[in-house]
Amino acid sequence: MEHKPKPEITLQAAKKLFEIIIRELEIDENLSDRTIMLADNMALLEQLKQQHIKDIKTRGAVELFKNGTQEMYRQNKSVDAVLKIIEAQRKLQAELKLTPASDRKVSGVVDPEGEGGDKGDEFTQY
């Protein structure tokens, strides 16, 4: 079945991210309505992130702020927004088990209790 992102997702980078996530979820056989919803949310976050990055490129990381006779530079609020979006995407990625730490190729390969493995020291056995 072909899955499509929400109609609100219009940027190509966000659509590509949605397709990548869906493909990875299909490989893991973890595709459900819940995971598709999370993939949509990640794509929407990507779209917002791209818009904020465009704003930073246009206006810069700091902007001139005038308050009456006062003039000062302040940080562009898009910088903080991008950082928050990246953190939200990381959390969704972890929930979908698509982080390098949850990589299906690595998990289950190491058996610390197995033959020749480290049995730990006296503190771990205590």
Side-chain angles (χ1 to χ4, degrees):
M1 181 179 169
E2 183 69 26
H3 298 283
K4 301 243 184 246
K6 289 180 179 180
E8 296 85 20
I9 300 170
T10 57
L11 285 179
Q12 191 60 35
K15 288 180 180 182
K16 179 111 175 119
L17 178 67
F18 180 84
E19 292 168 5
I20 291 168
I21 293 169
I22 293 297
R23 217 174 24 242
E24 290 296 317
L25 291 171
E26 285 174 341
I27 291 170
D28 290 343
E29 297 178 6
N30 190 19
L31 201 56
S32 67
D33 288 340
R34 183 180 60 87
T35 57
I36 292 171
M37 179 188 67
L38 293 175
D40 269 330
N41 289 343
M42 279 192 69
L44 282 170
L45 285 169
E46 182 64 26
Q47 182 165 298
L48 289 172
K49 183 174 78 174
Q50 293 299 325
Q51 290 168 347
H52 284 295
I53 289 172
K54 184 178 178 183
D55 177 56
I56 293 168
K57 286 180 181 177
T58 303
R59 298 189 308 147
V62 292
E63 59 186 348
L64 181 63
F65 174 69
K66 295 181 182 183
N67 183 14
T69 59
Q70 294 178 328
E71 287 185 10
M72 64 190 99
Y73 284 96
R74 67 177 178 188
Q75 183 176 0
N76 185 340
K77 293 180 181 178
S78 290
V79 174
D80 283 336
V82 168
L83 296 174
K84 288 178 184 175
I85 289 170
I86 290 170
E87 183 61 22
Q89 284 181 315
R90 187 199 61 77
K91 287 179 181 178
L92 287 174
Q93 199 174 3
E95 187 161 333
L96 291 171
K97 294 183 176 79
L98 296 176
T99 61
S102 61
D103 192 357
R104 61 191 163 275
K105 297 176 195 98
V106 176
S107 63
V109 173
V110 179
D111 182 16
E113 299 293 323
E115 196 171 329
D118 184 16
K119 302 285 189 211
D121 56 19
E122 59 201 51
F123 294 107
T124 58
Q125 295 173 357
Y126 186 63

Short mmCIF file of all heavy atoms in Angstrom, two decimals, residues 59-67 70-76:
data_model
loop_
_atom_site.label_atom_id
_atom_site.label_comp_id
_atom_site.label_asym_id
_atom_site.label_seq_id
_atom_site.Cartn_x
_atom_site.Cartn_y
_atom_site.Cartn_z
N ARG A 59 17.63 36.55 7.20
CA ARG A 59 17.81 37.63 8.17
C ARG A 59 19.07 37.50 9.02
O ARG A 59 19.44 38.43 9.73
CB ARG A 59 16.60 37.71 9.10
CG ARG A 59 15.31 38.03 8.36
CD ARG A 59 14.15 38.32 9.26
NE ARG A 59 13.93 37.32 10.28
CZ ARG A 59 13.46 37.58 11.49
NH1 ARG A 59 13.17 38.81 11.83
NH2 ARG A 59 13.27 36.61 12.35
N GLY A 60 19.71 36.33 9.01
CA GLY A 60 20.90 36.13 9.81
C GLY A 60 20.58 35.56 11.18
O GLY A 60 19.42 35.46 11.57
N ALA A 61 21.62 35.20 11.91
CA ALA A 61 21.44 34.60 13.24
C ALA A 61 21.08 35.64 14.29
O ALA A 61 20.49 35.32 15.32
CB ALA A 61 22.69 33.85 13.66
N VAL A 62 21.46 36.90 14.04
CA VAL A 62 21.07 38.00 14.93
C VAL A 62 20.37 39.05 14.09
O VAL A 62 20.57 39.16 12.89
CB VAL A 62 22.29 38.60 15.66
CG1 VAL A 62 22.88 37.62 16.64
CG2 VAL A 62 23.33 39.09 14.69
N GLU A 63 19.52 39.83 14.76
CA GLU A 63 18.78 40.86 14.05
C GLU A 63 18.83 42.16 14.85
O GLU A 63 18.94 42.14 16.08
CB GLU A 63 17.33 40.43 13.83
CG GLU A 63 16.56 40.13 15.09
CD GLU A 63 15.17 39.56 14.84
OE1 GLU A 63 14.69 39.60 13.71
OE2 GLU A 63 14.58 39.09 15.81
N LEU A 64 18.77 43.26 14.14
CA LEU A 64 18.75 44.56 14.78
C LEU A 64 17.36 44.80 15.34
O LEU A 64 16.36 44.66 14.64
CB LEU A 64 19.14 45.65 13.78
CG LEU A 64 19.19 47.07 14.33
CD1 LEU A 64 20.27 47.18 15.41
CD2 LEU A 64 19.46 48.06 13.21
N PHE A 65 17.30 45.17 16.61
CA PHE A 65 16.03 45.39 17.29
C PHE A 65 15.99 46.83 17.75
O PHE A 65 16.92 47.31 18.41
CB PHE A 65 15.90 44.42 18.48
CG PHE A 65 14.68 44.65 19.33
CD1 PHE A 65 13.42 44.38 18.84
CD2 PHE A 65 14.81 45.16 20.62
CE1 PHE A 65 12.30 44.59 19.63
CE2 PHE A 65 13.70 45.36 21.40
CZ PHE A 65 12.44 45.08 20.90
N LYS A 66 14.94 47.53 17.40
CA LYS A 66 14.78 48.93 17.80
C LYS A 66 13.58 49.05 18.71
O LYS A 66 12.50 48.58 18.39
CB LYS A 66 14.60 49.83 16.58
CG LYS A 66 15.81 49.87 15.68
CD LYS A 66 15.59 50.79 14.51
CE LYS A 66 16.80 50.78 13.59
NZ LYS A 66 16.67 51.71 12.48
N ASN A 67 13.81 49.69 19.85
CA ASN A 67 12.75 49.94 20.81
C ASN A 67 12.82 51.43 21.17
O ASN A 67 13.54 51.83 22.07
CB ASN A 67 12.94 49.07 22.06
CG ASN A 67 11.82 49.24 23.06
OD1 ASN A 67 10.78 49.80 22.72
ND2 ASN A 67 12.03 48.76 24.27
N GLN A 70 16.29 53.11 21.67
CA GLN A 70 17.27 52.04 21.90
C GLN A 70 17.42 51.18 20.65
O GLN A 70 16.44 50.85 20.00
CB GLN A 70 16.84 51.14 23.06
CG GLN A 70 16.82 51.81 24.40
CD GLN A 70 16.33 50.84 25.48
OE1 GLN A 70 15.52 49.97 25.21
NE2 GLN A 70 16.85 51.01 26.68
N GLU A 71 18.65 50.82 20.38
CA GLU A 71 18.94 49.88 19.30
C GLU A 71 19.87 48.82 19.84
O GLU A 71 20.84 49.12 20.53
CB GLU A 71 19.63 50.59 18.13
CG GLU A 71 18.73 51.47 17.33
CD GLU A 71 19.42 52.04 16.09
OE1 GLU A 71 20.54 51.60 15.76
OE2 GLU A 71 18.83 52.94 15.46
N MET A 72 19.55 47.58 19.56
CA MET A 72 20.39 46.48 20.03
C MET A 72 20.24 45.30 19.07
O MET A 72 19.29 45.23 18.30
CB MET A 72 20.00 46.08 21.45
CG MET A 72 18.59 45.53 21.59
SD MET A 72 18.07 45.36 23.27
CE MET A 72 17.12 46.84 23.47
N TYR A 73 21.18 44.39 19.17
CA TYR A 73 21.09 43.15 18.40
C TYR A 73 20.56 42.06 19.32
O TYR A 73 20.92 41.99 20.49
CB TYR A 73 22.46 42.75 17.85
CG TYR A 73 22.87 43.58 16.66
CD1 TYR A 73 23.70 44.69 16.81
CD2 TYR A 73 22.41 43.26 15.39
CE1 TYR A 73 24.06 45.45 15.72
CE2 TYR A 73 22.77 44.02 14.29
CZ TYR A 73 23.60 45.11 14.46
OH TYR A 73 23.95 45.87 13.38
N ARG A 74 19.70 41.25 18.78
CA ARG A 74 19.20 40.10 19.53
C ARG A 74 19.21 38.89 18.61
O ARG A 74 19.22 39.00 17.39
CB ARG A 74 17.81 40.35 20.09
CG ARG A 74 16.73 40.49 19.04
CD ARG A 74 15.37 40.66 19.67
NE ARG A 74 14.37 40.85 18.62
CZ ARG A 74 13.13 41.17 18.85
NH1 ARG A 74 12.70 41.35 20.08
NH2 ARG A 74 12.29 41.31 17.85
N GLN A 75 19.18 37.74 19.24
CA GLN A 75 19.21 36.49 18.48
C GLN A 75 17.91 36.32 17.71
O GLN A 75 16.83 36.60 18.22
CB GLN A 75 19.42 35.31 19.42
CG GLN A 75 19.55 33.99 18.71
CD GLN A 75 19.85 32.84 19.66
OE1 GLN A 75 19.96 33.03 20.85
NE2 GLN A 75 19.98 31.66 19.11
N ASN A 76 18.03 35.87 16.48
CA ASN A 76 16.87 35.53 15.67
C ASN A 76 16.17 34.35 16.34
O ASN A 76 16.79 33.34 16.65
CB ASN A 76 17.33 35.17 14.25
CG ASN A 76 16.19 34.93 13.30
OD1 ASN A 76 15.07 34.67 13.71
ND2 ASN A 76 16.50 35.01 12.01
#
